[in-house]
Structure formats: structure tokens, C-alpha cells
Amino acid sequence: MMESPVPHEPPIYRRIADRLRQAILAGDLRDGDRLPGENALMSEYGIARATARQALAVLINEGLAVPKRGSGVYVRRFRPIRRHGSRRLSREQWGAGRAIWDSDAGGRPYTVDDLTITLEPAADEAKRVLDCDEVWVRRRRYSVDGRPVQLAASHFPAPLVRDTSIVLPDTGPGGVYARLRDLGHAPAHFTEEVRARMPAPEEAEQLGLPAGTPVIVVCRAAYAAGGTAVELNKMIMDAASYVLQYDFDA
Amino acid sequence: MMESPVPHEPPIYRRIADRLRQAILAGDLRDGDRLPGENALMSEYGIARATARQALAVLINEGLAVPKRGSGVYVRRFRPIRRHGSRRLSREQWGAGRAIWDSDAGGRPYTVDDLTITLEPAADEAKRVLDCDEVWVRRRRYSVDGRPVQLAASHFPAPLVRDTSIVLPDTGPGGVYARLRDLGHAPAHFTEEVRARMPAPEEAEQLGLPAGTPVIVVCRAAYAAGGTAVELNKMIMDAASYVLQYDFDA
């Protein structure tokens, strides 16, 4: 049993970052405010430039600040979207005709744009999971508070959804899951795979990501009661905009 | 309904990356093999250097390849760890005296090092979740197939675990959850919060991460049947080494 004589002390750049973060979260520093620069931190704390840079990098990496070339580092306050893995997809949600995003955005204004709906040959993963050669794909971009946060591409087996409003821009009340239910294929079970990586250039562009911001990639398969896969949705999320929450029992 | 006349064609750098990825996954290119360089890709496909670089960057970002300074890009084949959010924490696992990591690593050899066990004042999140002023913290690093993949810091309310083997290096069969059960506080419910960000310098060093590899941060709270929080575990994972899987019903 090793009892530490002094409290575990984080390195100095961490403590500076902690102090700045507290100021941001307490509202003392607000969206668009300029953070103290490297020179200011160096003289205030008596530290090297590399250390000051590290402190600022912590906040940039956490998505709380953004560097502007030649001008400094600015607060970029955006309350992360808390995405509840299971609650948001419960039958009560889409069964009652509500959009899943009304739950996600927590009452904040959101928009959907760049919607395309295409018939395509099924690529590797969609082919394997959905067990078909052709898929209808709904691609779109979500923004919350005017900020792009997610690219999504829902894949459906072509034979299942042709001639339904799943392939129309307006899918009706409750969205695609309510329509799958109308077809007798209500989603009963979901599997989400979560990964993180750096964005591809076109993903960074579509999401407007500052350099050094990773993306969270969620790949979700929806299964009907009999075990038939009815949807494969690939989502690319701005990692700085999201907290994914999952609840489960032991 | 917009039917695309031709299959959705990804940009050329994506197609090159797809071809190289297939060669890696099929075993035609193996761990430690050198990938075709920028010059080779430029002449083979008649593309610009920036495009060749983008193709290689895709594989680097996916954790399938790693650049070595001045020498090229090499295959870095590591089968990602598939971490089942719920199954791995089921009572059958720790209740039977098994280590949770036996399930995680899927039979692959894993090691734990850098174990420290310290008594500390509870910081922000631990204080709030565990509702106490002092915590015992178990910090350690996990490696699979000789590669560091995760840093974990389990926080326990000090009054609850003092004088138990939870504060000893060897926690006994079934680990800390079996010991919490012995205390009458068996974990019954878990909440996991998942985030992704770039690593702090010391995290990158401890995990041996190549530049440009993000980390997945999982913060898990464990609750006993009465709703008491009994553990807060903060895990930092090499994003290129992990797929997190969560299963749930509609």
C-alpha cells in the first residue's frame, strides 16, 4: 500500500490549463474572448515558451479554444452534445412520431443540410451487415447552434425500402424507424461500434474542423425482432462537440 | 428521389487507400512491410504528390501504417481490441473470479505495469460523482501483444475501501468489483461517457503514440444497487487500438 505523502501534483502546464478551463467554464472568459498569450503566461508563471504553449494546447485539444493564425488563442465555447446511446433510440421516441435529434440537441436549434438520397452498390461493410448487393443511402449533415457537428450516412437494403418514404427527403413523423415499423421491420436491437481517428480532408472541410481535432466514428446496425439487419448508419462526429453516454447493468 | 446515374465514386486518394488497406487486411502486406512511397504512387496512378500523401495519410490515421522519419511508411498491423461495453462488466465475469481484461484481450497476452495506489484529495469530477473528499486511486497501464494501449485510473471513496485489498497491488480473484461485492456494494449499474481528443504530451509518451493519433477517453461510474457511486474509472485509450462496442434494445 503506497500512501503518497503529498497530493498528486500535475505538471505546471496542466495546472495553468486547469485554471484557464475553470475561468471558461465559470463564464469569466467567454465565447470569442482572447486567452492570455504565450508571452503573458511566461511572465505570469515564470515558465518557458514551450510550457506556455503546452498549456494552451490542452484547451485547444479539448475543443474549448481555437488558435487564429498570427492573432492568438480564443475561447470557443460550445456546450458538448450529450448523446445517450440507448435512451435516444427507444421506441417511445420514434414510436411517438418524434425526431431522434429533438432528443439529441436537448432543445437547442439544429439544422440538417446537404441531404442526398442515392441508390448504390453495397460496399464492404454495408454488404456484409445488410446482406444485399444494393443499398439506398441517406447522407446528410447536422448542425447545432449553427455549428456543423455530424455527417451521417444511413444505409438501407434496397429491396426492403424501395417505394417507401425512406427514399424521400421527408420521411414523415418518427422518421425512418417509424417507417421501418410500418413495413413490419421495427428496429428492436442496436449495436454501436465507436472509433476515433483524425478526419479525412473532406470530412474536416464539411465539419469545419480546426487543425488537430479528431472525429468520433460511430457505426450503428439496427436489427428487427427476427434478427434481420434493417439499417447501417455511419456517423462522423466532431469529437470536440460530443460526449457519448451509454448506461447498462452489471 | 435522386437516383445516382453512376455509383458514388470516392476521390482517387481514397481509392488508393482502399486498395492498400485491402492488401494489408488480406495479408499481402504484412506487419513491418514498407508501403509504396509517394514517388511510386505518383508514377503508378499519375497523381500529384499531395494526393499520394493523402492516400498514405488515410492509412496512418486509421492506425494501419506508421511513418518513419526519412524512411517511408510502414505497415503497423495490430488487430484492434474489441471492447464490449456491457458484456465485459457482467456479473458472470467478475462474479466467477475472472479478470475483466481476460475478456477484453480476447485471449491475447496482456500485461499491466506502472501500477501506483495513492490516497488523494478528490478532484472535481471524482468529488462530485463519488461524493467524498478523499479517494484511493489505482493507476496502471495495460499493454496487449506488447503494445501499450490504455492508461486507467480507478477512483474509490476512501471511507469505503480503506483496510480492503482494493488498496493492495493484488486485489484477489474477480478484482475490485468482487471486493466491492464482499463489502455489500456490488456494482449493479454502469454509466460510460466516451470522448475523443488529442493526447497530452505525457499521455502520448506513456502510450508510445505516433504523432497524429488521438485518444479515446472513457469515464465510467459504477453504482451499487442502492444508487451509491462506488467507483469512477478514467481510461485513456490509444484510438488506433480500440473499437468500443455497445449493444442495446429499442
Side-chain angles (χ1 to χ4, degrees):
Chain A
M1 183 179 330
M2 301 152 259
E3 201 154 336
S4 63
V6 290
H8 198 81
E9 185 91 12
I12 176 74
Y13 80 89
R14 279 262 152 206
R15 281 177 283 149
I16 297 171
D18 289 346
R19 221 169 288 179
L20 291 171
R21 186 188 309 103
Q22 277 165 19
I24 295 172
L25 298 181
D28 299 333
L29 283 166
R30 286 195 281 189
D31 201 29
D33 281 358
R34 191 175 176 284
L35 288 178
E38 290 173 10
N39 292 330
L41 292 175
M42 287 162 69
S43 65
E44 183 177 352
Y45 293 97
I47 53 174
R49 182 170 301 279
T51 309
R53 197 168 291 164
Q54 276 188 327
L56 294 169
V58 169
L59 300 171
I60 293 168
N61 286 343
E62 291 175 351
L64 284 173
V66 62
K68 293 188 185 169
R69 195 180 295 272
S71 147
V73 176
Y74 290 80
V75 177
R76 182 204 198 212
R77 186 86 182 93
F78 179 82
R79 194 159 39 90
I81 298 164
R82 182 168 288 266
R83 177 183 180 277
H84 286 265
S86 45
R87 189 193 308 166
R88 64 194 290 277
L89 293 173
S90 73
R91 231 168 255 270
E92 289 85 71
Q93 193 66 19
W94 48 266
R98 280 193 287 269
I100 286 163
W101 267 76
D102 289 345
S103 152
D104 274 7
R108 290 148 84 187
Y110 73 92
T111 53
V112 183
D113 65 1
D114 289 354
L115 175 70
T116 64
I117 306 172
T118 52
L119 180 64
E120 304 173 10
D124 304 345
E125 197 165 16
K127 192 182 172 76
R128 184 174 52 74
V129 172
L130 299 176
D131 191 26
C132 65
D133 295 320
E134 266 195 330
V135 285
W136 278 97
V137 187
R138 298 181 66 92
R139 290 189 175 76
R140 68 277 187 201
R141 182 174 68 165
Y142 292 94
S143 300
V144 169
D145 286 345
R147 164 165 157 161
V149 292
Q150 183 185 135
L151 308 172
S154 294
H155 299 63
F156 302 91
L160 186 69
V161 302
R162 75 169 89 256
D163 307 323
T164 73
S165 59
I166 288 174
V167 301
L168 298 178
D170 181 0
T171 53
V176 297
Y177 290 158
R179 294 301 78 70
L180 286 167
R181 174 204 57 198
D182 298 346
L183 290 168
H185 293 282
H189 186 76
F190 297 98
T191 292
E192 293 200 340
E193 287 182 354
V194 181
R195 293 174 175 81
R197 57 169 171 76
M198 296 313 288
E202 70 271 19
E203 293 165 345
E205 194 192 328
Q206 287 178 276
L207 290 171
L209 299 177
T213 303
V215 287
I216 297 175
V217 180
V218 176
C219 194
R220 178 177 67 235
Y223 299 89
T228 311
V230 292
E231 184 207 23
L232 183 73
N233 191 358
K234 296 187 86 164
M235 293 158 272
I236 314 284
M237 306 174 183
D238 169 8
S241 298
Y242 273 96
V243 180
L244 276 50
Q245 182 176 331
Y246 296 94
D247 297 274
F248 47 94
D249 293 325
Chain B
M1 182 179 331
M2 300 153 261
E3 203 155 333
S4 64
V6 290
H8 199 80
E9 185 91 13
I12 176 74
Y13 81 89
R14 279 264 152 206
R15 279 178 284 151
I16 297 171
D18 290 346
R19 222 169 288 179
L20 291 171
R21 187 189 309 102
Q22 277 165 17
I24 296 172
L25 298 182
D28 299 333
L29 283 166
R30 286 195 281 188
D31 201 28
D33 281 357
R34 191 175 177 284
L35 290 178
E38 291 174 9
N39 292 331
L41 292 176
M42 287 162 69
S43 64
E44 183 177 351
Y45 293 96
I47 53 175
R49 182 170 302 278
T51 309
R53 196 168 293 163
Q54 276 188 326
L56 294 170
V58 169
L59 300 171
I60 294 168
N61 286 343
E62 291 175 351
L64 284 174
V66 62
K68 293 188 185 167
R69 196 180 294 272
S71 146
V73 176
Y74 290 80
V75 177
R76 180 202 198 215
R77 185 87 183 93
F78 179 82
R79 195 158 39 90
I81 299 164
R82 181 168 289 267
R83 176 183 180 278
H84 285 265
S86 46
R87 191 193 306 167
R88 65 194 288 276
L89 293 173
S90 73
R91 230 168 255 269
E92 289 86 70
Q93 193 67 20
W94 49 266
R98 280 192 287 268
I100 287 164
W101 266 76
D102 289 345
S103 152
D104 274 8
R108 291 147 83 186
Y110 72 92
T111 53
V112 183
D113 65 0
D114 288 355
L115 175 70
T116 64
I117 306 172
T118 52
L119 179 63
E120 305 174 9
D124 305 344
E125 197 164 15
K127 192 183 172 74
R128 185 175 52 75
V129 172
L130 299 176
D131 192 25
C132 65
D133 295 320
E134 267 197 329
V135 286
W136 278 96
V137 187
R138 298 180 67 90
R139 289 189 175 78
R140 68 276 189 203
R141 180 175 70 166
Y142 291 96
S143 300
V144 169
D145 287 344
R147 164 167 158 160
V149 293
Q150 182 185 136
L151 308 171
S154 295
H155 299 64
F156 301 91
L160 186 70
V161 302
R162 73 170 91 253
D163 308 323
T164 74
S165 60
I166 288 174
V167 302
L168 298 178
D170 181 1
T171 53
V176 296
Y177 291 157
R179 295 299 78 70
L180 286 168
R181 175 203 57 197
D182 299 345
L183 289 169
H185 291 283
H189 186 76
F190 297 97
T191 293
E192 293 200 340
E193 288 181 354
V194 181
R195 294 174 175 80
R197 58 169 171 75
M198 295 314 288
E202 70 271 19
E203 293 165 346
E205 195 192 326
Q206 287 178 275
L207 290 171
L209 299 177
T213 303
V215 288
I216 297 176
V217 180
V218 176
C219 194
R220 179 178 66 235
Y223 299 89
T228 310
V230 292
E231 185 207 24
L232 183 72
N233 191 359
K234 295 187 87 164
M235 293 157 271
I236 314 285
M237 306 173 182
D238 169 7
S241 298
Y242 272 96
V243 180
L244 277 50
Q245 181 175 333
Y246 296 94
D247 297 273
F248 47 93
D249 293 324

